[in-house]
């Protein structure tokens, strides 16, 4: 009884699919290898080294270079996801019970691939590089929010922005574990996971219908995947590229102390006071 209720829970259904997708072969992206490949044609070896050891933002990689690399990755992953979905549609009605669930998990696997690639380009830390690592709760939370952004949920947008803001103030390049697992972000993660679980059910139904007729189903299924994946990936790219993590202009690195100091920007009134002081004529 308990197991049946657990499976019917949309939040648990999505979380289980997320873990299965993360463990599919080829889903986990090696951050260093990807950044070297994505930036190799556009940046010097020194800039790439700094991007790998720190972040692309800290290395001063231009936004247009990051956007070009992001678009290339989105197009590559969209084509790959569409081709695999089309292949899953070839058998038709006979194998639907096996092909549809596998196709949905594969689809989420490609969402995780592009999520990692975009995250690394836009200065997020390592997420799933190590194949031997279990998917910890903080990483599951961030990936859930990323997929939520792809599905257009405003609460996920706001939560990702908060996480990025927290990280931009940290010296250590890691996810804010407490906020994601028991703090202010955690309720949003649960809410988004529940929403995505409902969307999974709808997507499974749509894919079942599209695959019902052999060969024709392959064309429809592949086209449906391409039509949904591209705008969703672009939505995540647009959101991540505008966050604080991509703009370290207010960070000053103290090399000797190995600390990062946040330098507040002067207020408009301070500019005005300083301007007035600079132009005050001294009394005789």
């Amino acid at each position: 009884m308990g197991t049946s209720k657990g499976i019917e829970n949309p939040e648990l259904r999505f979380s289980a699919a997320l873990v299965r997708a993360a463990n599919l072969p080829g889903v986990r992206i090696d951050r260093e290898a990807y950044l070297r490949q994505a930036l190799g044609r556009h940046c010097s070896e020194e800039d790439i080294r700094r991007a790998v050891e720190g972040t692309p933002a800290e290395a001063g990689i231009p936004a247009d270079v990051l956007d070009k690399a992001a678009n290339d990755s989105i197009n590559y992953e969209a084509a790959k996801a569409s081709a695999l979905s089309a292949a899953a549609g070839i058998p038709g009605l006979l194998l639907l019970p096996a092909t549809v669930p596998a196709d949905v998990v594969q689809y989420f696997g490609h969402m995780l691939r592009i999520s990692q690639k975009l995250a690394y380009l836009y200065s997020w830390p390592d997420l799933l590089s190590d194949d031997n690592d279990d998917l910890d709760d903080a990483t599951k939370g961030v990936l859930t929010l990323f997929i939520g952004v792809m599905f257009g949920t405003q609460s996920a947008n706001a939560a990702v922005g908060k996480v990025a803001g927290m990280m931009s103030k940290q010296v250590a390049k890691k996810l804010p574990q407490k906020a994601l697992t028991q703090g202010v972000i955690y309720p949003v993660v649960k809410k988004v996971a529940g929403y995505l679980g409902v969307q999974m059910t709808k997507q499974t139904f749509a894919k079942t219908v599209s695959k019902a007729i052999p060969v024709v189903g392959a064309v429809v299924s592949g086209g449906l995947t391409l039509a949904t994946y591209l705008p969703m990936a672009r939505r995540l790219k647009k959101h991540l590229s505008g966050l604080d993590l991509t703009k370290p202009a207010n960070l000053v690195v103290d090399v000797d102390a190995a600390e990062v100091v946040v330098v507040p920007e002067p207020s408009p009134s301070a500019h005005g006071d300083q301007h007035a002081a600079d132009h005050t004529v001294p009394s005789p």
Side-chain angles (χ1 to χ4, degrees):
M1 257 331 246
T3 303
S4 176
K5 288 183 179 179
I7 292 173
E8 291 171 3
N9 184 305
E11 179 192 336
L12 295 179
R13 187 187 308 126
F14 171 76
S15 295
L18 182 68
V19 172
R20 288 201 303 272
N23 289 324
L24 289 174
V27 166
R28 301 189 178 211
I29 304 296
D30 184 285
R31 178 180 176 273
E32 178 176 349
Y34 170 68
L35 285 177
R36 289 191 176 280
Q37 176 269 323
L39 302 177
R41 291 177 293 174
H42 310 286
C43 304
S44 68
E45 179 58 34
E46 175 60 19
D47 284 343
I48 294 173
R49 182 190 64 78
R50 291 172 58 206
V52 168
E53 293 180 359
T55 67
E58 291 171 0
I61 307 297
D64 61 331
V65 170
L66 296 177
D67 290 343
K68 173 67 167 60
N71 289 334
D72 289 345
S73 291
I74 288 172
N75 292 335
Y76 173 81
E77 293 297 334
K80 192 172 179 182
S82 179
L84 287 174
S85 182
I90 292 174
L93 190 61
L94 184 62
L95 297 181
L96 279 182
T99 59
V100 170
D103 191 24
V104 171
V105 172
Q106 188 76 244
Y107 187 73
F108 277 106
H110 280 285
M111 285 188 173
L112 293 184
R113 281 180 58 86
I114 196 59
S115 293
Q116 292 169 83
K117 290 183 175 184
L118 294 176
Y120 299 154
L121 286 172
Y122 294 116
S123 297
W124 287 72
D126 211 343
L127 297 173
L128 287 175
S129 289
D130 193 339
D131 290 337
N132 297 319
D133 280 352
D134 290 330
L135 198 60
D136 63 76
D137 289 338
T139 303
K140 276 197 289 189
V142 164
L143 293 173
T144 297
L145 294 176
F146 282 175
I147 295 177
V149 171
M150 295 176 79
F151 272 85
T153 60
Q154 292 304 312
S155 57
N157 282 6
V160 169
K162 286 182 181 179
V163 173
M166 293 175 186
M167 291 180 56
S168 68
K169 298 173 183 177
Q170 294 178 353
V171 177
K173 301 294 189 299
K174 62 181 182 179
L175 298 174
Q177 299 277 331
K178 186 174 180 180
L180 284 162
T181 57
Q182 53 184 290
V184 293
I185 308 296
Y186 182 61
V188 182
V189 172
K190 290 176 66 65
K191 180 180 177 182
V192 171
Y195 168 79
L196 293 174
V198 173
Q199 295 305 307
M200 271 184 62
T201 301
K202 294 179 179 179
Q203 193 175 85
T204 299
F205 174 77
K207 286 183 177 293
T208 299
V209 172
S210 71
K211 288 178 167 59
I213 305 174
V215 183
V216 175
V219 176
V220 174
S221 180
L224 180 64
T225 296
L226 186 63
T228 56
Y229 188 94
L230 272 175
M232 293 169 78
R234 288 168 180 164
R235 190 178 292 135
L236 180 60
K237 174 208 163 194
K238 180 179 179 181
H239 190 58
L240 294 184
S241 66
L243 297 175
D244 290 345
L245 287 178
T246 66
K247 305 174 181 65
N250 297 330
L251 298 181
V252 175
V253 181
D254 184 342
V255 178
D256 295 330
E259 293 181 351
V260 176
V261 182
V262 178
V263 180
E265 295 183 357
S267 64
S269 60
H271 279 298
D273 294 343
Q274 183 62 47
H275 181 77
D278 291 342
H279 290 81
T280 301
V281 179
S283 57

